Amino acid sequence: MRGLHWFRNDLRLDDNRSLSALAERVDEWLPVFVFDPELLGRSPRALPRTRFLIDCLERLRADLEAQGIPMQILSGQPEVVLPQLARDAKASLVSWNAAPTPLGERRDARVDAALRRAGAEPLVLRDHTVFGPDEIRTRTGGRYVVYTPYRNAWWEAWERGPRGASGRSRLPARAIAGFDRRPEIDLPREGASAPEAPGLPGASAGPDGPAAASLPRGGEKEARLRLTTFLGEAAADYAALRDRPDRDGTSRLSPHLRFGTISVRRCFSEALSAARAEPRAKAGIRKWLDELVWREFYHAVLAHSPHVLTRSFRPEYDALAWRDDDAGFEAWKEGRTGYPFVDAGMRQLRATGWMHNRARMVVASFLTKDLLIDWRRGERHFFDALVDGDPASNNGGWQWSASTGTDAQPYFRIFNPVSQGERFDPEGGYVRRWIPELGDLPAKRIHAPWIKGEPPRGYPLPIVDHDFARKRALDAYKAASASKA
Ligand SMILES: Cc1cc2nc3c(=O)[nH]c(=O)nc-3n(C[C@H](O)[C@H](O)[C@H](O)COP(=O)(O)OP(=O)(O)OC[C@H]3O[C@@H](n4cnc5c(N)ncnc54)[C@H](O)[C@@H]3O)c2cc1C
């Protein structure tokens, strides 16, 4: 029997559920990736995420070719291209891992129907998260809208039936003959890729985004290396250092989990065995795994409440009187708000396509509370600029920060961008790294350089007074929550 495997956010051969299931049933196959013009319209070539995806794809293709399997990289609508390939290759089974977003689910339903019409059977399994959105339920069968009880139920489910990684997928015996590989990735050229500028990290972003050398390396081998290195080194101190953007205390696996160059089950399996082997690391590893449970939580929220992609999870906050402040938005995007901790985060994002989680929370709070700019504008910018831009986690993070979401921080708790910097970047190393203009300031001045004199030349004064902005935000949120009554 012959089959196709349609690779999407599962760009790996290790522990790939639907690929393994395909191998059980077919002996000849072809791997396929399809550049969908609809998705490409949303994620043009120049975006860090697309560039990372192409890197992962190249490496996967090389791994497969080393085994004599030509990967088919096509472009077009999947519901047209896949049935056509299935017909040409006389493949009667087509496997893929289920889409984790509502948009992807709708597209998959179209592909499913088109394949059946063409006489091929779809084989679809869930792979992107450990537990599916309907597997973690309250005792009465309801859905969780708060993280902590969800996390407790998640771990109870794991204790009842752990779902670790199952190992490298056995591939079908051989490739379908007659399908040589295409010479290059056939991507519509709708935009130029970013220039590769040398120089300071803070200065290396071109007009289209980070320089290639600043983006993380893609591919399965790199993801495994990152996991092993993290578990052997930083994981033990993760609970203490995960909030410090001046330290290299987190795994940086987010782009890999986004594109599936590593399976989330692999992360759980390896981390739990590292914790057994090294009891000193146990608490840090457990904390890290709880972060992966946040990822599962936000995927479940998106599946159950797809309206969050366009509206607030809490409807009363749709009445919030956001400000139209294009100048403020541009200053925020460029890292020129005059608040060094905020600006360091935004410049790290621009230069590398990644930002530390603590900085993400602070810059998102600054945009939505201090500038009172609609969270959707920030979410969109992050989605375009992040190499790990993911609809579920990005939306969850933004709605949490804007206090409009499921498990949001209460609106009256508004991050102070100066004290956040003093607390989480106490020596100022993060700010100095990304804002060279402030490089000579001592730690005690670096988070509020306008106090005790002017900020150094070339660095702006704060674009808004935090105390004033805080009161303005409190009034706006209070008015919106009163509209519920
Ligand atoms: C406003 C905002 C937007 C965000 N947008 C995204 C996004 O688009 N994509 C994304 O993957 N994460 C997003 N996050 C979550 C988090 O910031 C990143 O996952 C994390 O910084 C990635 O770095 P890491 O891999 O070193 O994380 P680690 O600390 O090593 O954590 C391990 C993994 O757990 C998951 N994780 C960690 N924290 C969270 C979290 N708060 N929510 C969901 N998953 C989490 C990620 O998959 C991460 O790779 C966002 C957070 C905020 C506040």
Side-chain angles (χ1 to χ4, degrees), residues 420-442:
Q420 284 286 310
E422 289 167 346
R423 183 161 166 213
F424 296 111
D425 182 27
E427 287 116 44
Y430 183 59
V431 166
R432 271 185 219 100
R433 169 142 192 232
W434 296 109
I435 311 182
E437 304 96 286
L438 302 181
D440 293 333
L441 285 190

Side-chain angles (χ1 to χ4, degrees), residues 28 45 58 74 83 127 141 156 194 209 251 255 309 319 325 368 409 455:
E28 291 182 36
R45 185 188 183 90
E58 291 284 13
L74 311 174
D127 174 87
E156 279 167 28
S251 70
L309 287 179
D325 176 5
T368 54
Q409 69 156 358

Side-chain angles (χ1 to χ4, degrees), residues 230 238 250-254 257 288 291-292 294-295 298 354-357 360-361 364 382 386 388-390 393-394 397-398 401:
F230 172 73
Y238 182 77
T250 69
S251 70
R252 303 262 189 143
L253 275 168
S254 49
L257 286 158
W288 186 69
E291 296 304 311
L292 287 171
W294 268 109
R295 177 178 175 274
Y298 283 142
W354 185 85
M355 193 196 302
H356 189 278
N357 182 59
R360 292 188 203 204
M361 294 196 293
F382 260 39
L386 279 169
D388 62 26
D390 169 77
S393 298
N394 193 33
W398 273 96
S401 304

